[in-house]
Amino acid sequence: MIIDCHGHYTTAPRSHTEWRTAQKAAFTAGLLPPPYPDISDDDIRASVDGSQLRLMTERGIDLTIFSPRASAMEHHFGDEAVSARWAQVSNDLIARVVQLYPGRFAGVCQLPQSPGVPIAQSVAELRRCVLELGFVGCNLNPDPSGGHWTSPPLTDRSWYPFYEAMAELDVPAMVHVSAVTNPVFHATGSHYLNADTTAFMQLMQADLFTDFPDLRLIIPHGGGAVPYHWGRFRGLADMLGRPPLEESVMGNVFFDTCVYHQPGIDLLFNVIDTGNIVFGSEMIGAVRGVDPQTGHHFDDTRRYVDALDLPPGDRDRVYALNARRIYPRLAAH
């Protein structure tokens, strides 16, 4: 079995995204948003069958851990009520996809984060999605300001109420930023990768996992810059008087395979233990084109992993067993 840990609903029905535009316009004008539209099962099927599901079938991916479009979470916009309503309708739509295709998708929720609002306010939506909708995890934004980094580090105690809820529910979080309003950053080319790297450094500098030994965090996009500068981070840990990375961080942190060329995947697997790598493609996401050097889609990451000379046990871990361990609620799903 092959489980893709990193999929976003980037092809959601147009009426869903149009409602979001109307919600934002209403907030800006000081008005109430219009009612959320009726979206039929046929609308959802049309948005999935010819895109996400077709590519999963073509590439031999059995199950995708599916969440709302990351760049559209837009936690920076509006206020707490706006973010809460947008998270609710987005998560409900994911739940409907899962209900229509229970063998192909498992849900991961968007959180109603908002700048300056305590993360504890997101616990209720996490509980709803896990306990009522059957979701297996969440996406946690370390920078809801949209690229201005006004939040404290992920290791700050202000995040602890949310980690306590994650521990109670036994669900992981993918550390994933959203849209960026800072003009110096490109969203997927710099902001995403910067955030991945920043999150790892924050985790390395503190003792979060001493307080939460069972907390599980996925850092996407191949871990940002981390595996490719592993010596730098090992050296910094030593300079800062921190324990070795294998002891202080890597028992709780995992990287996905959303790295869009063979040399990058080769390096990831040469540096990081296969117990810390989980298969992901981010399909259909940041890079949708065909690589002119290979003639294959950049985000067909299974092709890169298959090209590795992995022992069968390691291959099974990366493709499915690690995901089952990180997302224990997949068993019930």
Side-chain angles (χ1 to χ4, degrees):
M1 184 176 191
I2 296 180
I3 300 172
D4 186 338
C5 78
H6 192 168
H8 298 299
Y9 198 2
T10 56
T11 61
R14 178 177 297 179
S15 55
H16 174 73
T17 55
E18 288 177 344
W19 181 84
R20 171 60 169 172
T21 300
Q23 184 203 31
K24 292 166 66 175
F27 176 82
T28 301
L31 303 172
L32 293 175
Y36 188 74
D38 291 327
I39 298 176
S40 70
D41 287 351
D42 286 342
D43 292 334
I44 294 174
R45 290 189 183 98
S47 72
V48 172
D49 285 349
S51 53
Q52 186 79 34
L53 199 60
R54 175 182 62 82
L55 289 171
M56 286 171 60
T57 300
E58 289 178 359
R59 299 176 187 180
I61 297 170
D62 298 293
L63 177 76
T64 291
I65 298 174
F66 208 47
S67 64
R69 185 172 191 164
S71 62
M73 295 189 296
E74 295 183 314
H75 294 122
H76 66 275
F77 181 84
D79 58 15
E80 183 178 4
V82 169
S83 289
R85 179 61 174 152
W86 178 228
Q88 177 197 350
V89 299
S90 297
N91 292 330
D92 287 348
L93 195 61
I94 292 291
R96 292 185 61 192
V97 174
V98 174
Q99 289 166 1
L100 289 172
Y101 304 94
R104 306 304 305 273
F105 296 99
V108 160
C109 67
Q110 170 180 330
L111 297 173
Q113 295 179 247
S114 193
V117 176
I119 190 62
Q121 298 296 98
S122 292
V123 169
E125 181 64 7
L126 176 68
R127 290 188 183 279
R128 183 183 80 91
C129 289
V130 172
L131 299 177
E132 298 179 22
L133 303 183
F135 284 18
V136 300
C138 63
N139 287 338
L140 181 64
N141 188 347
D143 174 38
S145 72
H148 300 276
W149 290 92
T150 57
S151 296
L154 289 169
T155 52
D156 187 84
R157 287 189 172 271
S158 60
W159 295 90
Y160 276 32
F162 193 79
Y163 299 148
E164 290 167 358
M166 286 175 57
E168 176 192 338
L169 296 167
D170 200 16
V171 294
M174 178 171 281
V175 180
H176 206 308
V177 289
S178 183
V180 61
T181 61
N182 188 331
V184 306
F185 296 131
H186 181 275
T188 56
S190 56
H191 183 47
Y192 280 22
L193 303 182
N194 291 345
D196 303 332
T197 309
T198 298
F200 184 87
M201 189 66 198
Q202 290 176 359
L203 297 171
M204 188 187 86
Q205 289 179 271
D207 297 312
L208 175 64
F209 301 125
T210 300
D211 293 336
F212 295 94
D214 297 322
L215 191 68
R216 301 177 301 280
L217 301 176
I218 302 95
I219 297 182
H221 319 117
V226 176
Y228 318 99
H229 292 276
W230 193 244
R232 175 181 291 261
F233 290 99
R234 288 178 53 242
L236 285 170
D238 183 64
M239 289 173 59
L240 295 171
R242 302 295 302 160
L245 299 179
E246 292 79 8
E247 298 176 10
S248 63
V249 180
M250 298 310 290
N252 305 80
V253 170
F254 307 87
F255 301 145
D256 71 14
T257 61
C258 295
V259 180
Y260 294 146
H261 67 149
Q262 191 67 53
I265 288 288
D266 294 346
L267 188 147
L268 173 66
F269 278 79
N270 284 335
V271 172
I272 303 300
D273 187 89
T274 54
N276 292 93
I277 301 174
V278 59
F279 178 73
S281 71
E282 204 179 354
M283 180 181 70
I284 302 169
V287 180
R288 305 189 185 191
V290 173
D291 186 342
Q293 296 180 8
T294 67
H296 301 290
H297 285 86
F298 283 102
D299 63 5
D300 187 359
T301 54
R302 181 185 173 183
R303 183 177 298 275
Y304 309 137
V305 177
D306 280 349
L308 300 170
D309 186 21
L310 292 178
D314 285 350
R315 190 178 301 273
D316 291 342
R317 276 190 284 275
V318 171
Y319 274 142
L321 298 181
N322 288 343
R324 289 180 178 275
R325 177 164 55 93
I326 297 165
Y327 296 88
R329 286 181 177 267
L330 277 176
H333 176 85

